[in-house]
Amino acid sequence: MRLVPVQSVVSTPMGSSIEALGDGRYRVCDGDHRCAEVVGLWLAGEMVREMELHHCAPESLRGQL
């Protein structure tokens, strides 16, 4: 396993963020710093969109997208 530095991909005005973890994995966080890890940037972006649209936490979206 190689160590890859975490890189910020995007931060929104509502406080949501996406960070690249390496190997196609991303950490998606809401403005309250509740986070979930997902595979794929498209899924990460969809999670942010849904979180901000429905004012919900990332863990509540698991399995829905």
Side-chain angles (χ1 to χ4, degrees):
M1 180 169 108
R2 66 186 175 114
L3 295 176
V4 177
V6 173
Q7 293 181 310
S8 178
V9 174
V10 68
S11 295
T12 71
M14 292 181 72
S16 300
S17 65
I18 299 173
E19 298 173 326
L21 302 175
D23 296 325
R25 295 178 306 117
Y26 296 85
R27 180 183 300 126
V28 178
C29 300
D30 66 7
D32 293 325
H33 306 290
R34 296 175 294 191
C35 302
E37 286 188 21
V38 298
V39 175
L41 184 55
W42 182 87
L43 181 56
E46 284 296 299
M47 283 189 85
V48 168
R49 187 181 70 78
E50 289 293 318
M51 287 184 329
E52 293 189 353
L53 183 65
H54 299 291
H55 304 286
C56 62
E59 61 269 7
S60 68
L61 295 173
R62 281 209 181 269
Q64 295 182 21
L65 297 175

